[in-house]
Amino acid sequence: MKQSNIVSIVVFGEALADEFPEQKIIGGAPFNVARTLAHFGCAPLMISRIGQDAVGALIQADMHTCGMSDAGLQVDAVRPSGRVVVTQNNPDDKSSHQFAILPDQAYDYIDQDAAQQALAAYGNNEPADLIYFGSLAQRCLTSRQTLHALLMETKTLKYLDLNLRDGQVNAATIDDSLCRADIVKLNEDELSYLLEQYSGGVNTALDINADRLTWQPAVDGLMKQFDLQAIIVTLGARGYAYFDVQGRFFSADQKPTPTVIVDTVGGGDAFSAVFLTGLYQGWPLATSLRRAHEFATAVCGIRGAVSSDAHFYQRWMQRWVAE
């Protein structure tokens, strides 16, 4: 896998408001990733679309706070900025959330011409080194076609965070996204779903780390079927499992410092952001994965997916430089 010379990262997809019972927090998996990349000095281009409303103003202000360019942020004069209503029905289980993702939002209508113009300006007419994308922003034809146009550059490394949400994506979009990706990040449920659809399934009671040899043939089959370079599976507190076409396997060899769980929203996004930071910085693969897991665990100790305290990120950078 390409491990260095990543100098430009484009993040495509939704920027929205996660509306918790007690507060409204700006989020969306792609935006969470982009903001974290910005905090770690990777200067990503975020391509999304917002409405002319209060949520849109918050999103734009948040970009500026993170030091991000808003050159890829489109404004829709008709449709509203994205919103997700979050409920946490079991106060004793901080990982249990329900998401009501509202339909027909501005990010469903990302304009192709504007996106390509922003991309050309960002890269001085050179293709981006890496494009991050997910599935939610592909639920509408307009944004899906825009993404496909951006992914046409074959030299670009394509990182797919599948991030499946009930009722928001169909089988054809999943299949197409896998065909276009180079690296795929999944959680355990998403991996089980893919194996059931494409490989006849694997006993989901088996632990990926402990029973690697049982999982390996099925995961290898997915990589071969879709011509993937690597699959990363996040496993919550149990860490991660990494498989690639070179036959390498990495998993968490030690637990990170225990964290009081506030919520798990954005844990996977934090993992992706630090893994991509590792590509940008040229870190060794094992180091990128370990740091991604440690940082994701820390993010589960704050409300929402991104800290409003810049020192939160500075402390991690200082720690990594000192290692």
Side-chain angles (χ1 to χ4, degrees):
M1 185 203 306
K2 192 176 181 182
Q3 277 296 115
S4 60
N5 300 321
I6 300 291
V7 297
S8 59
I9 299 177
V10 172
V11 178
F12 180 95
E14 66 274 10
L16 47 79
D18 286 322
E19 298 184 353
F20 291 86
E22 73 279 12
Q23 63 185 129
K24 184 181 298 182
I25 297 178
I26 299 303
F31 195 39
N32 295 337
V33 170
R35 289 183 291 173
T36 302
L37 285 168
H39 277 297
F40 289 141
C42 298
L45 175 69
M46 176 73 196
I47 296 180
S48 190
R49 192 173 180 93
I50 58 174
Q52 292 181 332
D53 49 33
V55 169
L58 288 173
I59 290 169
Q60 195 162 26
D62 205 72
M63 293 182 78
H64 297 162
T65 298
C66 297
M68 292 174 59
S69 166
D70 61 6
L73 187 64
Q74 304 172 14
V75 179
D76 194 306
V78 177
R79 300 172 187 90
S81 299
R83 293 174 53 229
V84 175
V85 180
V86 185
T87 56
Q88 191 171 357
N89 295 328
N90 183 356
D92 297 323
D93 182 1
K94 301 300 184 183
S95 65
S96 176
H97 292 86
Q98 291 184 330
F99 300 85
I101 303 174
L102 302 186
D104 202 40
Q105 309 288 275
Y107 65 78
D108 291 314
Y109 299 91
I110 300 172
D111 179 75
Q112 180 176 324
D113 289 342
Q116 289 181 315
Q117 289 171 12
L119 181 59
Y122 172 68
N124 293 318
N125 292 312
E126 293 293 326
D129 292 304
L130 184 144
I131 295 180
Y132 165 106
F133 68 105
S135 58
L136 179 57
Q138 297 189 66
R139 63 182 183 173
C140 176
L141 180 62
T142 302
S143 287
R144 188 164 66 249
Q145 289 181 333
T146 297
L147 173 63
H148 291 175
L150 299 181
L151 293 176
M152 286 296 291
E153 173 51 62
T154 56
K155 294 180 181 179
T156 298
L157 191 66
K158 303 167 184 71
Y159 182 98
L160 168 63
D161 184 350
L162 201 56
N163 203 19
L164 297 180
R165 300 297 186 196
D166 289 343
Q168 302 299 319
V169 63
N170 58 38
T173 297
I174 295 171
D175 189 84
D176 184 77
S177 296
L178 292 168
C179 287
R180 295 175 187 274
D182 297 311
I183 304 170
V184 177
K185 198 276 288 180
L186 310 161
N187 62 31
E188 197 167 4
D189 290 339
E190 290 162 349
L191 176 62
S192 297
Y193 171 82
L194 293 186
L195 293 180
E196 181 179 347
Q197 296 298 310
Y198 298 106
S199 305
V202 171
N203 183 353
T204 55
L206 296 175
D207 182 271
I208 293 176
N209 290 331
D211 301 286
R212 173 206 169 182
L213 295 180
T214 301
W215 285 89
Q216 185 87 49
V219 175
D220 286 347
L222 280 177
M223 288 192 289
K224 182 177 181 180
Q225 180 174 353
F226 293 105
D227 193 25
L228 300 172
Q229 295 184 22
I231 291 177
I232 305 169
V233 188
T234 52
L235 305 168
R238 292 183 293 119
Y240 57 86
Y242 170 95
F243 305 83
D244 70 19
V245 292
Q246 300 176 44
R248 292 181 293 183
F249 174 81
F250 293 93
S251 62
D253 55 3
Q254 62 183 19
K255 292 184 178 180
T257 303
T259 297
V260 176
I261 301 299
V262 175
D263 67 54
T264 59
V265 173
D269 307 334
F271 189 102
S272 287
V274 174
F275 180 80
L276 296 180
T277 298
L279 291 179
Y280 185 90
Q281 299 287 354
W283 298 341
L285 177 59
T287 299
S288 296
L289 291 164
R290 173 179 56 81
R291 289 174 175 175
H293 178 45
E294 291 172 346
F295 182 75
T297 301
V299 165
C300 291
I302 63 175
R303 172 59 85 189
V306 178
S307 174
S308 59
D309 180 8
H311 295 293
F312 178 79
Y313 302 93
Q314 293 169 6
R315 288 192 294 270
W316 281 96
M317 287 299 293
Q318 291 166 358
R319 172 178 171 175
W320 294 334
V321 168
E323 286 184 348

